[in-house]
Amino acid sequence: MMGIEEIRRIVPHRPPMLLVDRVSELVPRRRLVGSLTVTGDRPLPMSLLLESWGQAALVLMRHDRPMPDVLTDGVPVAGLFEHVRFGRPVLPGETVRHRVTMNRLVADTAFVTGDSVVGDTVVLRVGRLVGAMRSVDSLRASLEAAIREHRSAAPAPAADAGSPAKPVASTSGAAR
């Protein structure tokens, strides 16, 4: 139904971080089945399995509003993953199918659930993902505020920080 070129028009990810090869089923604002065939000679790391599922969710959330440029179209943000369970690793040569269901869409924030399977074996379950779109400017402002807060909360460095310790004079023994 949708190949890699169509997917590239919807999500900002590019190889090697584009982790959805194909979409075989898409019911707008309801559900999607996407897939990734694992290449190379090592199992797919669990973090990239979750990222791949999240990218499939992003295709569902944005299929009718392509966003190839994060500077003008916004940045997809995964705000929350809940109740995530991993199964066995996905091995090289295997195709993992991501099944994503949209439970709710409020403005630019989506609530989705789903799983990933290899054959009939569940390799990932996602109880909930809350994903949203944010402008680059709002993310930049949030980052700058967090940096300012971190700097103001950090303890001031000691006056002799980094200097070698000074010997302590002995007070025992003869008077000086």
Side-chain angles (χ1 to χ4, degrees):
M1 167 173 211
M2 191 184 298
I4 201 155
E5 290 307 315
E6 293 93 337
I7 294 167
R8 285 176 62 138
R9 285 193 281 277
I10 296 170
V11 301
H13 304 80
R14 296 294 177 261
M17 284 307 298
L18 179 59
L19 298 174
V20 179
D21 296 329
R22 191 168 72 92
V23 172
S24 56
E25 179 184 338
L26 174 64
V27 177
R29 298 180 184 244
R30 300 283 312 258
R31 70 178 176 271
L32 171 139
V33 177
S35 61
L36 171 70
T37 299
V38 177
T39 59
D41 58 357
R42 296 177 185 208
L44 184 66
M46 296 299 184
S47 59
L48 294 183
L49 175 61
L50 186 60
E51 171 70 23
S52 182
W53 186 90
Q55 288 181 21
L58 182 59
V59 172
L60 176 59
M61 294 184 316
R62 298 292 300 187
H63 74 278
D64 57 343
R65 295 169 285 162
M67 52 164 300
D69 185 355
V70 295
L71 295 178
T72 58
D73 301 317
V75 179
V77 177
L80 170 76
F81 275 98
E82 274 189 322
H83 308 293
V84 174
R85 302 284 184 261
F86 293 98
R88 72 165 181 82
V90 181
L91 303 175
E94 292 183 323
T95 298
V96 59
R97 288 183 308 124
H98 304 299
R99 302 182 296 201
V100 183
T101 301
M102 185 177 297
N103 303 102
R104 190 169 182 201
L105 180 63
V106 179
D108 67 350
T109 302
F111 299 79
V112 295
T113 60
D115 62 16
S116 299
V117 296
V118 174
D120 294 329
T121 304
V122 176
V123 295
L124 171 71
R125 280 194 201 286
V126 178
R128 179 172 30 184
L129 163 63
V130 179
M133 297 299 299
R134 295 295 180 258
S135 72
V136 169
D137 292 336
S138 70
L139 292 174
R140 186 176 291 122
S142 295
L143 178 61
E144 289 168 355
I147 290 170
R148 281 192 305 276
E149 182 179 317
H150 175 74
R151 286 183 180 154
S152 68
D160 290 328
S163 300
K166 295 180 182 175
V168 177
S170 172
T171 58
S172 63
R176 299 187 192 212

